[in-house]
Amino acid sequence: GENVEQHPSTLSVQEGDSAVIKCTYSDSASNYFPWYKQELGKRPQLIIDIRSNVGEKKDQRIAVTLNKTAKHFSLHITETQPEDSAVYFCAASRSSASKIIFGSGTRLSIRP
Amino acid sequence: NAGVTQTPKFRVLKTGQSMTLLCAQDMNHEYMYWYRQDPGMGLRLIHYSVGEGTTAKGEVPDGYNVSRLKKQNFLLGLESAAPSQTSVYFCASSYSGPSGIYNEQFFGPGTRLTVL
């Protein structure tokens, strides 16, 4: 069945450094790849998404890259700040489908 | 707009009891979803609905039932609760744009359920 694998499960970086989270997907027909951020005790919220017609998308300090051939995509956070500490989920979907498959999450901690 | 709301926020059940979780959205979204979130396992889809009167199974549907009698509401039922159903439950909704283009899911605040 459809599957999304996410690595690493935990990540600790020094404040100001960059963080990278990687995901692979199994359904080659997937064409929508969102990333959600979940702060402690809060609901998941979309931070960035990318569709298969582009290879990279940036929004201030965050960026997502997509390699459709290899079926993997990554989240990059630069100049990390304490407020970036959270659990991050990747996901994949076909636009024709009505559901998305989530990765298992990465707990990102920013060290002061 | 309230967005997506969930009732109740917390609940403790004894094994074998039943309960219903209510999800409501005021964004006129067609799609609604129920997920459960367990430590280290991310968000797993229980059931979902693509419109009023329709429901479908997700990854982990066993032990749960759902109903979507009104477009704005999506109910999740546990007929006979088990300790394995202890989890945080999130409801979400999304809009299906033109040509079925997929869009952002908006999540509710969650319901923390403990089954003793």
Side-chain angles (χ1 to χ4, degrees):
Chain A
E2 300 148 352
N3 187 47
V4 175
E5 293 191 358
Q6 183 172 347
H7 301 280
S9 57
T10 60
L11 179 61
S12 178
V13 302
Q14 194 76 31
E15 183 177 350
D17 287 350
S18 296
V20 180
I21 302 170
K22 299 181 179 182
C23 291
T24 59
Y25 59 97
S26 60
D27 183 0
S28 58
S30 296
N31 56 7
Y32 175 68
F33 307 93
W35 286 87
Y36 286 79
K37 176 183 180 182
Q38 185 180 27
E39 297 177 355
L40 188 63
K42 301 289 182 65
R43 71 191 79 187
Q45 291 189 297
L46 182 75
I47 55 171
I48 194 168
D49 57 13
I50 190 169
R51 299 187 192 274
S52 60
N53 56 345
V54 298
E56 184 175 5
K57 184 177 179 180
K58 289 184 180 180
D59 183 2
Q60 299 183 339
R61 294 187 298 108
I62 61 173
V64 57
T65 58
L66 171 65
N67 183 328
K68 285 213 73 178
T69 303
K71 292 192 288 186
H72 68 69
F73 57 112
S74 302
L75 177 71
H76 303 254
I77 306 174
T78 60
E79 301 174 8
T80 53
Q81 300 171 5
E83 54 263 35
D84 295 329
S85 292
V87 177
Y88 292 81
F89 294 98
C90 63
S93 173
R94 306 178 184 187
S95 61
S96 59
S98 48
K99 59 180 181 178
I100 63 175
I101 305 299
F102 283 90
S104 55
T106 296
R107 183 174 299 279
L108 175 63
S109 301
I110 308 301
R111 303 191 304 271
Chain B
N1 289 350
V4 181
T5 58
Q6 292 182 231
T7 309
K9 288 184 171 57
F10 303 92
R11 186 72 186 266
V12 177
L13 291 178
K14 293 181 180 178
T15 297
Q17 288 185 318
S18 63
M19 78 163 293
T20 300
L21 282 67
L22 170 64
C23 176
Q25 53 95 5
D26 60 2
M27 296 175 284
N28 202 33
H29 286 170
E30 293 91 346
Y31 296 168
M32 295 187 74
Y33 309 83
W34 276 108
Y35 295 92
R36 59 177 290 172
Q37 184 174 34
D38 303 297
M41 300 193 73
L43 293 157
R44 293 186 292 169
L45 182 65
I46 305 171
H47 286 280
Y48 65 102
S49 168
V50 301
E52 183 178 322
T54 72
T55 62
K57 294 180 180 180
E59 298 175 69
V60 289
D62 294 342
Y64 305 95
N65 57 75
V66 289
S67 64
R68 183 109 181 260
L69 299 179
K70 294 182 179 180
K71 185 177 184 179
Q72 64 267 33
N73 295 337
F74 194 29
L75 278 64
L76 177 71
L78 287 72
E79 291 185 347
S80 180
S84 60
Q85 294 178 305
T86 293
S87 189
V88 178
Y89 292 85
F90 284 99
C91 174
S93 71
S94 69
Y95 168 68
S96 174
S99 304
I101 299 299
Y102 200 86
N103 290 289
E104 173 183 2
Q105 291 200 355
F106 292 85
F107 284 83
T111 295
R112 184 173 297 275
L113 175 66
T114 301
V115 182
L116 302 175

